[in-house]
Amino acid sequence: MSEQVAPPSAPQAAQPEQLAQPDPAPQADAAPQADAAAPAAKGSGGRKALAIIGAVVVFLVVAGLKFGLGTAIGSFLNSDETAEAKAGDCIAELPAVTGTEGRSVSSAEVVKCTSTEAVYTVVGRVEDQTEAQAKSGQACEQYIKAGEDGYVFYNIAPGGKGYLLCLTRKA
């Protein structure tokens, strides 16, 4: 097999062949300085980037706590906004139900009781209920006074246990 190679061009100060060849006599003290400087530059750049990222994260956490974004972040991360609801809290509007009718709700929102969105007041919370127990509503009978319209809101996975909230319409 034969190989053809183009003839070298006229000699110039910096030919590619000359740049590709190793320097026959490297200076002993120049190489260690260049090698030592390269890792230091990489390390300090990485540390700088981490310091900046860390400062931004700390700033966001402090700002979030100061301006109440912790609740918004918690709501975003926790898809069940009523998971921490307790007696005395208020719930925004839910689908209308009559008699023993039940309706599935994709979300419910705990709101300030002074808000115009507040429609229901949580009068009781019962833990460790099955879906059948929640549907019966018997656990809420102790919290709802005679003559009041009472509502049961629950979040229970099928076959599991969960909580139920006993609600009355806010006056």
Side-chain angles (χ1 to χ4, degrees):
M1 177 175 200
S2 68
E3 194 173 292
Q4 293 183 351
V5 179
S9 59
Q12 294 180 3
Q15 289 184 355
E17 293 85 16
Q18 291 174 343
L19 293 176
Q21 295 175 359
D23 191 9
Q27 295 177 356
D29 58 322
Q33 287 177 351
D35 291 343
K42 287 181 185 176
S44 66
R47 281 189 230 133
K48 250 186 214 182
L50 284 176
I52 291 170
I53 291 170
V56 168
V57 169
V58 168
F59 173 77
L60 290 174
V61 168
V62 170
L65 293 174
K66 183 174 182 178
F67 296 110
L69 296 176
T71 304
I73 292 169
S75 295
F76 176 73
L77 296 176
N78 181 8
S79 62
D80 181 9
E81 292 189 29
T82 60
E84 301 298 320
K86 58 191 177 308
D89 287 344
C90 290
I91 307 288
E93 184 66 67
L94 296 169
V97 294
T98 57
T100 59
E101 176 188 3
R103 292 249 173 108
S104 178
V105 177
S106 61
S107 67
E109 184 180 3
V110 176
V111 295
K112 291 184 179 185
C113 290
T114 56
S115 167
T116 57
E117 296 177 5
V119 177
Y120 301 97
T121 301
V122 178
V123 293
R125 180 181 176 108
V126 183
E127 299 289 340
D128 297 322
Q129 296 289 294
T130 64
E131 191 172 6
Q133 289 171 319
K135 283 182 179 180
S136 77
Q138 290 178 341
C140 285
E141 288 176 357
Q142 61 183 326
Y143 299 105
I144 299 170
K145 299 174 187 167
E148 277 186 319
D149 285 333
Y151 304 89
V152 176
F153 176 86
Y154 59 88
N155 187 355
I156 302 171
K161 288 189 172 189
Y163 69 92
L164 66 92
L165 300 176
C166 307
L167 309 173
T168 59
R169 192 164 273 284
K170 191 171 181 285

